[in-house]
């Protein structure tokens, strides 16, 4: 089985198994390898398996497909460790490798007391290994392979591997599985097992042997390590009474060594042979593959758990949003909410107020994802409380700013908010905290316009403690529709990163889509905006930012 390892881009570090004959790479959600980059084509390229050979094929993409930094045309064969680049997304093609233990560099002409260094050769048949082994060891090897393939938890797999060592090598006194820690650059023994359990607390391994094995990716065999010139009289070998010893690297799919298995004896009469080393290589090869599978399985479980947590968070967040619309004589309402990720930082709400007033609020927390969603939840509850407790909308927003300031200032975050309060006389009181002003559609086909001037807009919530907010008013006439929205609307991007609204590009998709509209019902106005955004952003997998739109229509 071959894999693609993501070196740069979305899900960096993950490995994708190539278990079929055709794999699409692109930004289409149906692709086997999804690349959420707007400059990537829907189906940018393919990886094909033909008679066991893998090929890379460009699908006439706009920005090209590169193999080892050379742009390809058509179909080209893939070799181990080839790098594929699509825009800023980079993966490595890695073929499953095995170790040819029969091709290990052995010096059989040397005497019994002379140590041998064994060099690993990659990409060969393990059948030659099996031909040199006695039937009993073959039986044990098959049992071990079967056992390792059934264990998908790394913490259980490592002890199982060590137990297998003692079944295969009756002369072994101790066995270690040692892995390098990339954070501390130290060798960490993950499992220590001795023939006599009481010796495990004092068992130690030789760092010099492990270092040589890892750095050179070579198997190590010594009849008597205490007399081996390669160890340069290592004190640890003397102290730990290491005699005959074998040490082989644990290698990943790409051939990188991530640990070792060391088996040794403390009795001069017990010695490992070159056939033993071959057999240990075979077991280590199986164990290395099993360990990578276990890591991949654990990573998959973690990703699934995160996915479920995000789904739950999405449900919880939606519970903060209105489940219906207010029933006010002479008015109808509509709303649209679309987070850029699984959860977002936008907020909207309808808050009944004293004096038969109705508050309509739209807020936007800076940022996306979980941090923004947590602050959005607080904004939801605190906005409702402030509007119920304070006598005027301006005082309510001033109070809300004071409540949020201790939390947002510490996190270097802020919140924009637009509050529109519907009064019984159809006047609308607007308090603006760094947000876009509501726009009005008159229903006579004329261009939409801002309901109030931005001169009365205050600073964003959570920036200045004690800031006094002002209000502005306007009359919502019959058949007019008021639109409140978050900046995800003007910032909605095409696949070429052209915004929906841009002064620099002299483009205003929001007002353009409403020009000539005479049906000003809340649902129709909302539908016009949403459809225009969808058309503008066609081809993008995800919105550039959270999108929230609320429409309020005064009936004729």
């Amino acid at each position: 089985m071959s894999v693609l390892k993501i070196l740069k881009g979305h899900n960096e570090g993950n490995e994708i198994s190539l278990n079929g004959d055709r794999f699409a790479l692109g930004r289409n959600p149906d692709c086997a390898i999804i690349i959420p980059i707007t400059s990537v084509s829907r189906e940018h390229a393919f990886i094909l398996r033909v008679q066991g050979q893998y090929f890379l094929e460009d699908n006439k993409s706009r920005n090209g497909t590169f193999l080892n930094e050379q742009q390809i045309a058509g179909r080209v064969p893939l070799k181990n460790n080839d790098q594929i680049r699509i825009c800023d997304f980079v993966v490595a093609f890695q073929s499953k490798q095995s170790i040819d233990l029969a091709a290990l560099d052995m010096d059989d002409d040397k005497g019994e007391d002379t140590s041998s260094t064994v060099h690993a050769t990659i990409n060969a048949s393990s059948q030659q290994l099996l031909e040199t082994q006695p039937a009993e060891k073959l039986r044990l090897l098959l049992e071990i392979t079967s056992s390792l393939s059934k264990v998908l938890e790394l913490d259980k797999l490592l002890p199982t591997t060590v137990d297998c060592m003692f079944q295969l090598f009756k002369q072994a006194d101790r066995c270690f599985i040692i892995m390098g820690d990339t954070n501390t650059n130290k060798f960490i023994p993950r499992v220590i097992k001795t023939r006599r359990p009481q010796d495990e607390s004092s068992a130690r391994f030789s760092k010099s042997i492990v270092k040589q094995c890892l750095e050179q990716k070579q198997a190590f065999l010594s009849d008597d390590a205490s007399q081996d010139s390669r160890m340069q009289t290592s004190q640890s070998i003397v102290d730990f009474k290491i005699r005959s010893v074998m040490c082989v690297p644990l290698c990943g799919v790409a051939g990188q060594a991530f640990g070792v298995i060391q088996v040794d004896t403390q009795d001069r009469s017990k010695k490992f042979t070159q056939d033993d080393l071959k057999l240990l290589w075979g077991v280590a090869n199986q164990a290395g593959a099993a360990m990578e599978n276990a890591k991949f399985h654990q990573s998959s479980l973690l990703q699934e758990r995160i996915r479920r947590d995000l789904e739950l968070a999405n449900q919880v967040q939606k519970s903060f949003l209105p489940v219906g619309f207010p029933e006010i004589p002479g008015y109808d309402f509509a709303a649209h909410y679309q987070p850029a990720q699984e959860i977002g930082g936008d907020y909207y709400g309808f808050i009944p107020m004293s004096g038969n007033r109705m508050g309509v609020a739209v807020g936007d927390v800076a940022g996306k994802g979980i941090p923004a969603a947590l602050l959005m939840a607080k904004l939801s509850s605190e906005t409702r409380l402030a509007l119920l407790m304070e006598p005027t909308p301006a005082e309510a927003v001033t109070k809300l700013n004071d409540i949020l300031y201790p939390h947002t200032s510490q996190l270097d975050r802020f919140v924009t908010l637009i509050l529109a309060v519907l009064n019984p006389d159809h006047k609308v009181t607007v308090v603006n905290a760094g947000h876009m002003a509501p726009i009005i559609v008159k229903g006579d086909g004329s261009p939409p316009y801002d309901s109030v001037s931005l001169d009365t807009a205050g600073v964003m919530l959570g920036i200045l403690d004690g800031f006094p907010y002002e209000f502005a008013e306007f009359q919502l006439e019959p058949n007019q529709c008021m639109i409140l929205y978050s900046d995800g609307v003007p910032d909605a991007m095409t696949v070429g990163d052209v915004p929906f609204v841009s002064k620099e590009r002299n483009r205003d998709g929001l007002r353009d889509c409403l020009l000539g509209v005479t049906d000003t019902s809340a649902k129709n106005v909302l539908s016009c905006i949403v459809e225009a955004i969808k058309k503008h952003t066609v081809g993008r997998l995800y919105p550039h930012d959270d999108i929230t739109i609320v429409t309020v229509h005064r009936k004729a």
Side-chain angles (χ1 to χ4, degrees):
M1 178 186 69
S2 297
V3 300
L4 289 181
K5 184 170 184 178
I6 302 175
L7 303 180
K8 181 180 178 183
H10 185 61
N11 290 327
E12 184 173 319
N14 283 6
E15 292 184 352
I16 301 168
S17 299
L18 301 177
N19 289 325
D21 294 325
R22 184 179 184 274
F23 308 86
L25 296 85
R27 56 184 171 83
N28 193 317
D30 295 329
C31 289
I33 297 94
I34 300 173
I35 309 174
I37 302 174
T38 54
S39 52
V40 174
S41 302
R42 284 175 161 272
E43 288 189 338
H44 197 103
F46 300 97
I47 291 179
L48 307 172
R49 185 171 65 180
V50 180
Q51 294 181 347
Q53 171 68 47
Y54 286 90
F55 295 85
L56 176 65
E57 183 178 273
D58 181 70
N59 192 28
K60 299 180 180 179
S61 58
R62 183 176 68 250
N63 291 319
T65 303
F66 295 80
L67 181 64
N68 300 323
E69 293 306 321
Q70 297 294 320
Q71 186 169 359
I72 68 169
R75 182 182 300 182
V76 296
L78 286 171
K79 302 186 300 296
N80 188 42
N81 289 331
D82 275 348
Q83 287 195 8
I84 302 167
R85 179 173 67 82
I86 296 176
C87 297
D88 290 329
F89 185 83
V90 182
V91 296
F93 171 79
Q94 297 175 344
S95 61
K96 184 66 177 177
Q97 297 178 328
S98 60
I99 299 170
D100 184 355
L101 302 177
L104 298 180
D105 183 12
M106 302 286 190
D107 189 356
D108 292 330
D109 295 330
K110 293 187 178 181
E112 181 178 332
D113 294 331
T114 302
S115 304
S116 301
T117 301
V118 185
H119 300 272
T121 303
I122 305 300
N123 253 351
S125 168
S126 60
Q127 184 177 358
Q128 293 173 324
L129 160 70
L130 301 181
E131 289 174 355
T132 67
Q133 303 302 325
E136 177 62 18
K137 288 194 173 182
L138 284 179
R139 184 186 63 79
L140 286 173
L141 183 60
L142 291 174
E143 290 180 0
I144 290 168
T145 301
S146 177
S147 298
L148 295 179
S149 65
K150 295 176 181 177
V151 182
L152 289 175
E153 296 179 35
L154 192 60
D155 290 339
K156 293 181 180 179
L157 179 61
L158 297 178
T160 300
T161 303
V162 171
D163 289 340
C164 295
M165 298 299 103
F166 283 98
Q167 294 180 48
L168 279 175
F169 307 111
K170 304 300 183 182
Q171 68 271 51
D173 290 322
R174 308 184 308 173
C175 181
F176 304 85
I177 293 183
I178 303 152
M179 295 188 181
D181 189 324
T182 55
N183 295 323
T184 63
N185 200 27
K186 294 181 178 179
F187 302 122
I188 307 297
R190 295 294 302 272
V191 181
I192 300 174
K193 188 176 179 63
T194 62
R195 186 72 69 178
R196 297 188 304 174
Q198 63 268 28
D199 294 339
E200 288 180 3
S201 60
S202 60
R204 299 291 186 271
F205 63 92
S206 170
K207 292 183 180 179
S208 56
I209 294 177
V210 172
K211 184 177 181 181
Q212 177 176 319
C213 186
L214 273 176
E215 290 182 350
Q216 300 180 11
K217 296 182 184 178
Q218 293 178 344
F220 180 91
L221 170 64
S222 180
D223 288 337
D224 190 343
S226 64
Q227 304 295 324
D228 196 324
S229 60
R230 290 170 298 167
M231 295 298 99
Q232 298 177 349
T233 63
S234 170
Q235 190 60 41
S236 62
I237 292 176
V238 176
D239 292 342
F240 306 150
K241 299 179 180 179
I242 300 175
R243 301 306 181 192
S244 188
V245 58
M246 297 187 296
C247 189
V248 297
L250 292 164
C251 295
V253 172
Q256 75 280 11
F258 59 84
V260 302
I261 298 178
Q262 178 178 311
V263 183
D264 62 46
T265 72
Q266 295 178 301
D267 188 336
R268 289 183 184 274
S269 64
K270 299 176 181 179
K271 293 185 178 182
F272 298 112
T273 67
Q274 292 174 356
D275 282 344
D276 288 332
L277 185 63
K278 292 179 183 180
L279 190 57
L280 182 58
W281 259 113
V283 176
N285 189 35
Q286 297 296 324
M291 289 175 192
E292 284 211 329
N293 288 338
K295 290 177 182 178
F296 180 76
H297 178 69
Q298 290 178 341
S299 176
S300 299
L301 292 178
L302 177 61
Q303 291 180 2
E304 177 63 20
R305 185 161 62 248
I306 292 174
R307 185 191 65 79
R308 290 197 304 267
D309 289 346
L310 287 175
E311 285 183 354
L312 179 59
N314 178 268
Q315 296 173 15
V316 171
Q317 185 182 39
K318 286 182 178 179
S319 70
F320 290 109
L321 301 175
V323 293
F325 300 110
E327 294 184 3
I328 301 177
Y331 287 88
D332 60 90
F333 302 83
H336 173 80
Y337 176 78
Q338 183 181 10
Q341 300 177 6
E342 287 82 355
I343 52 179
D346 277 6
Y347 154 77
Y348 76 93
F350 304 103
I351 303 100
M353 301 169 62
S354 60
N356 292 323
R357 298 175 298 168
M358 174 62 68
V360 183
V362 170
D364 185 357
V365 178
K368 307 179 186 70
I370 293 176
L374 292 173
L375 192 53
M376 173 270 191
K378 185 169 183 62
L379 174 66
S380 172
S381 60
E382 298 295 355
T383 299
R384 182 173 297 274
L385 180 62
L387 288 176
L388 292 176
M389 298 297 294
E390 300 299 323
T392 68
E395 290 174 295
V397 175
T398 299
K399 180 67 174 178
L400 180 60
N401 177 63
D402 294 341
I403 293 173
L404 293 178
Y405 177 78
H407 306 282
T408 54
S409 59
Q410 295 178 12
L411 300 174
D412 194 27
R413 288 187 176 272
F414 58 86
V415 179
T416 67
L417 180 79
I418 189 72
L419 171 66
V421 177
L422 303 178
N423 297 289
D425 60 357
H426 306 297
K427 278 187 177 180
V428 180
T429 304
V430 178
V431 183
N432 191 339
H435 206 86
M436 291 76 65
I439 62 174
I440 302 298
V441 180
K442 294 178 65 174
D444 58 1
S446 61
Y449 60 92
D450 288 341
S451 58
V452 295
S453 171
L454 289 175
D455 293 340
T456 59
V459 299
M460 296 165 284
L461 300 175
I463 297 293
L464 293 175
D465 190 20
F467 183 86
Y469 288 86
E470 302 178 3
F471 71 92
E473 289 186 331
F474 71 94
Q475 189 77 25
L476 189 63
E477 302 293 346
N479 206 38
Q480 290 185 349
C481 186
M482 175 177 64
I483 305 165
L484 295 83
Y485 57 98
S486 67
D487 63 4
V489 173
D491 290 345
M493 298 286 185
T494 66
V495 292
D497 292 335
V498 176
F500 193 51
V501 176
S502 173
K503 291 182 180 179
E504 292 77 8
R505 296 174 181 262
N506 195 28
R507 173 185 175 82
D508 194 334
L510 177 58
R511 284 171 169 78
D512 290 347
C513 74
L514 297 172
L515 187 63
V517 171
T518 56
D519 179 1
T520 55
S521 64
K523 285 186 177 180
N524 184 65
V525 171
L526 180 67
S527 177
C528 290
I529 300 172
V530 172
E531 290 303 316
I533 292 175
K534 287 181 179 179
K535 184 177 179 180
H536 179 75
T537 60
V538 64
R540 290 188 70 100
L541 288 176
Y542 311 105
H544 177 72
D545 196 3
D546 304 330
I547 294 176
T548 301
I549 309 168
V550 176
T551 52
V552 180
H553 172 236
R554 182 183 173 190
K555 299 177 182 178

